[in-house]
Amino acid sequence: PERVWARFLTLAADGALWRHTATTLNEVLAGLALGMAVAFVLGYLLSRSRTVERLVAPYIVASQSIPIVAIAPLLVIWFGAGATSKIIVSALIVFFPILISSIAGLRSAEPDLLDLMRSLEATRWQTFVKLELPAAMPMIVSGLKVGATLSVIGAVVGEFVGADRGLGFLVKQGQGLYDTPLMFVAVLTLVIIAMSLYGLVALIERYLLAWKQ
């Protein structure tokens, strides 16, 4: 532990740790935002139509059977070793849990309340904003909690495949140099990022779902 702490102080003093952390954090946040946006939009479309779900769902499930570590090298080849490929890897890994929670949540609105909205001649948008979205929010936030931690894994996997900066790059560099304290510093920083994102989503959940209490 003393050697790890000393290595942390060295990396923090010369700014290397903060530069690599900022790189990974930007990739994680961008990947989480992209994956969440695509998953929610597609989840809404699938929740509206059983036919569309039967057509699209098998392909989505099949895509999840491919390990992300097998796709990451292809994405690095196609999109380069920059941040774009890491963001896409991160978005892919968070997409599925948020999609499933969005579909289940949007279908959780009570039929009696839907009938009430129709009897009041509510528009589709009013029904979505005032009934379907609030009803779906608990499950969506639960999926987002899972996605927040998985997004860190996605970014690091992308950095393992090909990168010259980021916390995943530090782990590989420490492995190549047999610098165990460096690897521990990078791993513990990744843990802090994942826990912070989870805590942030928990705070958002408390704010958005205050009405349930």
Side-chain angles (χ1 to χ4, degrees):
E2 292 180 357
R3 292 177 60 192
V4 174
W5 177 246
R7 197 74 171 91
F8 169 79
L9 294 178
T10 302
L11 290 170
D14 63 13
L17 179 62
W18 313 125
R19 289 194 300 271
H20 289 289
T21 301
T23 298
T24 300
L25 186 59
N26 289 334
E27 294 165 355
V28 166
L29 294 177
L32 180 60
L34 177 62
M36 180 177 62
V38 175
F40 184 73
V41 172
L42 186 57
Y44 177 79
L45 296 176
L46 294 179
S47 68
R48 296 300 91 195
S49 173
R50 296 281 183 178
T51 302
V52 174
E53 182 186 10
R54 284 194 294 267
L55 292 173
V56 177
Y59 298 100
I60 296 176
V61 174
S63 69
Q64 296 304 304
S65 66
I66 305 173
I68 195 66
V69 293
I71 301 176
L74 293 174
L75 294 175
V76 171
I77 292 173
W78 293 337
F79 297 98
T84 302
S85 58
K86 284 69 175 178
I87 292 171
I88 295 175
V89 173
S90 181
L92 286 175
I93 203 171
V94 308
F95 167 77
F96 191 70
I98 298 178
L99 173 68
I100 296 302
S101 62
S102 298
I103 295 174
L106 290 169
R107 287 178 176 167
S108 65
E110 296 183 17
D112 291 342
L113 295 179
L114 290 171
D115 292 338
L116 176 62
M117 296 296 284
R118 281 191 287 267
S119 68
L120 295 173
E121 298 182 353
T123 63
R124 175 61 66 86
W125 175 253
Q126 289 173 327
T127 302
F128 173 73
V129 172
K130 296 182 180 298
L131 175 58
E132 293 174 334
L133 185 59
M137 194 56 67
M139 297 198 71
I140 292 175
V141 173
S142 297
L144 186 57
K145 284 181 177 178
V146 177
T149 54
L150 290 178
S151 62
V152 179
I153 297 175
V156 172
V157 168
E159 291 174 352
F160 277 171
V161 174
D164 57 359
R165 54 188 176 274
L167 294 173
F169 168 75
L170 278 187
V171 173
K172 284 203 67 175
Q173 186 181 52
Q175 179 187 15
L177 298 174
Y178 294 96
D179 189 344
T180 306
L182 174 61
M183 297 176 65
F184 268 111
V185 170
V187 169
L188 292 175
T189 305
L190 288 169
V191 171
I192 293 172
I193 291 176
M195 293 179 64
S196 300
L197 289 175
Y198 186 91
L200 179 61
V201 175
L203 289 176
I204 295 173
E205 178 185 29
R206 183 178 301 179
Y207 173 76
L208 291 178
L209 302 181
W211 58 272
K212 286 182 66 87
Q213 302 175 5

